[in-house]
Amino acid sequence: MSGILNPEDGSFWADEVFFMNNATIVMLFGILTLSVFARIGVMALAPRILRKIVQSDSIQAKTIRDSDKALGTAAGAGVALFLINTLIDMMGDVNTGIELPDLAIRIIPNVLQFIFAISLVVWAFRLVSIVQDVVGLLDNDDELDGTERTLISAIESILRFAIVFIGSVFIADALGFNLTSLVAGLGISGLALALAAKDTISNLFGATTVLLDRPFKIGDWVIIDSVEGEVTEISLRTTLIRTAADTIVTVPNANLVNTPVENFGKRRWRRWQTALHLELNSDPAKVADFCAQVLESIHESPVTVKPESSWCQVSTLTATSLDISVNLYWDVAGGAPERKAKEELVLSIMQTAKDNGLTFFDPRMVQTSQ
């Protein structure tokens, strides 16, 4: 080994090819070989190690199997970068005969650092998707609710922003930018950047407000300003709302700070009021029985809440009909269950009226008689 590190003049190791002696070429080839073995080794060993640590197949797939090339490339580039820097440091020793052209000394470490940074950024971006799997593992009911999906969306957005920011710093350093001068320049132009990014900062504060105050979560049906629909995604900059027409409306989070939000998803119950119009010549006793039976049907419904505030009573007598007011409250989770409960009650009311020999007022009969 000493012959390679300190080759004698006229020896094989001292012969020069492409501005480098054979000793340097052999060491570079050795570094390349070690980096390739490091890449292959990481791609082969990482899944086995991870299987002993994490039992989730989905996390294993996303962290290793779906990104093994990026992880292996980062490992290989990291090993090569470390060895190249070590080799360059050894060149300062007068007892070594290692020779690298100045151009290679400037370019090779930067190229390796660039590959290392890009590979890590790619791998880290793919890791972001495991947030949902981790939250799923911690969830007891094996079903992600709106709050958990909101948290996942926010964490993923923050992680992507952090990855891009940190990765940009490493990539800029690899490309030869002077980070000290860059930071100083940012300090000088900080005011201009702050003014230019005021909307982005406002959106970040808006996202923080949504996460802390929780005026709504993913899956809620909301009205924000003139936009009505279901919240499908909450990111750092915007909130996406899918309308009843199946269109997507993008709402900047900055608008959420000072805009009233009507959230139908936070309703404790759903109120339904209607009026029934019976014929004027209806038997009062049968009408009373009819009202009592309808109210009993309301109370017996499994989705009825606040029974003490529900009623079915004669409200007024008009020139053409006897009007009955109906008021009730349902505990239903969405529009479909509400429509189902309403259908069942309406059919029950129709059957009750038929059983009591009552008929509903028909305006067409009045027009015919006239």
Side-chain angles (χ1 to χ4, degrees):
M1 187 69 177
S2 60
I4 297 178
L5 294 178
N6 189 15
E8 297 180 357
D9 294 338
S11 66
F12 169 78
W13 302 114
D15 293 341
E16 291 191 359
V17 179
F18 300 114
F19 307 103
M20 295 180 291
N21 57 30
N22 289 333
T24 304
I25 293 175
V26 169
M27 297 192 73
L28 290 177
F29 181 77
I31 291 174
L32 177 62
T33 303
L34 288 175
S35 65
V36 171
F37 276 115
R39 182 178 187 272
I40 297 174
V42 169
M43 292 172 59
L45 294 177
R48 299 180 183 178
I49 297 174
L50 191 66
R51 274 195 292 269
K52 296 181 179 180
I53 301 175
V54 181
Q55 301 299 322
S56 173
D57 292 335
S58 60
I59 294 180
Q60 292 178 17
K62 292 177 180 178
T63 53
I64 298 297
R65 290 196 293 270
D66 292 348
S67 56
D68 55 350
K69 293 181 180 179
L71 181 61
T73 301
V79 170
L81 179 62
F82 172 77
L83 294 176
I84 282 292
N85 286 331
T86 303
L87 187 65
I88 293 174
D89 292 339
M90 292 173 60
M91 290 177 58
D93 190 347
V94 295
N95 295 322
T96 61
I98 301 173
E99 299 177 356
L100 274 176
D102 292 339
L103 183 62
I105 294 175
R106 292 195 303 268
I107 292 179
I108 293 178
N110 289 339
V111 170
L112 291 175
Q113 184 176 341
F114 179 79
I115 296 174
F116 177 74
I118 287 292
S119 301
L120 280 184
V121 168
V122 171
W123 183 59
F125 253 99
R126 293 177 179 175
L127 281 183
V128 170
S129 59
I130 73 171
V131 172
Q132 180 172 345
D133 298 282
V134 173
V135 174
L137 287 176
L138 300 176
D139 187 43
N140 295 326
D141 56 6
D142 296 328
E143 183 177 353
L144 298 178
D145 57 25
T147 302
E148 291 166 336
R149 285 185 288 165
T150 301
L151 178 63
I152 290 170
S153 177
I155 293 177
E156 288 180 347
S157 297
I158 293 173
L159 288 177
R160 290 191 182 98
F161 177 80
I163 290 169
V164 170
F165 179 78
I166 297 174
S168 299
V169 172
F170 279 102
I171 293 172
D173 184 49
L175 294 176
F177 289 98
N178 190 326
L179 296 182
T180 303
S181 301
L182 182 61
V183 172
L186 290 176
I188 296 173
S189 58
L191 179 60
L193 289 174
L195 292 175
K198 64 177 182 179
D199 291 338
T200 300
I201 296 174
S202 298
N203 289 329
L204 291 176
F205 277 109
T208 304
T209 300
V210 171
L211 292 176
L212 295 180
D213 295 345
R214 294 186 178 181
F216 55 80
K217 61 182 182 294
I218 293 177
D220 284 349
W221 191 275
V222 299
I223 298 179
I224 302 176
D225 200 4
S226 60
V227 179
E228 179 178 357
E230 179 186 1
V231 179
T232 59
E233 182 179 343
I234 302 173
S235 63
L236 287 179
R237 292 189 62 255
T238 60
T239 294
L240 301 184
I241 297 177
R242 185 176 295 278
T243 66
D246 202 34
T247 60
I248 291 291
V249 178
T250 302
V251 180
N253 289 333
N255 295 355
L256 302 176
V257 178
N258 299 315
T259 302
V261 177
E262 185 175 0
N263 188 348
F264 291 90
K266 288 185 176 293
R267 288 185 293 183
R268 296 169 297 172
W269 32 257
R270 302 195 181 196
R271 184 182 186 183
W272 186 51
Q273 291 180 300
T274 189
L276 307 177
H277 307 285
L278 298 179
E279 292 288 350
L280 273 176
N281 59 354
S282 299
D283 187 340
K286 291 183 178 181
V287 171
D289 291 341
F290 169 76
C291 291
Q293 292 171 17
V294 170
L295 184 59
E296 183 180 358
S297 298
I298 294 173
H299 289 170
E300 291 177 351
S301 174
V303 296
T304 296
V305 294
K306 301 179 66 175
E308 69 282 356
S309 299
S310 302
W311 68 75
C312 178
Q313 294 177 326
V314 175
S315 59
T316 185
L317 184 66
T318 69
T320 55
S321 65
L322 178 67
D323 294 348
I324 297 177
S325 173
V326 178
N327 180 82
L328 55 89
Y329 301 87
W330 283 323
D331 181 13
V332 287
E338 181 181 5
R339 291 190 295 271
K340 180 64 175 177
K342 190 179 297 184
E343 177 189 41
E344 292 176 353
L345 179 60
V346 169
L347 294 177
S348 174
I349 291 174
M350 293 178 63
Q351 184 62 46
T352 303
K354 184 177 181 180
D355 294 342
N356 285 276
L358 299 174
T359 57
F360 293 101
F361 167 68
D362 187 354
R364 295 174 299 177
M365 299 300 295
V366 177
Q367 295 175 359
T368 302
S369 62
Q370 291 177 349

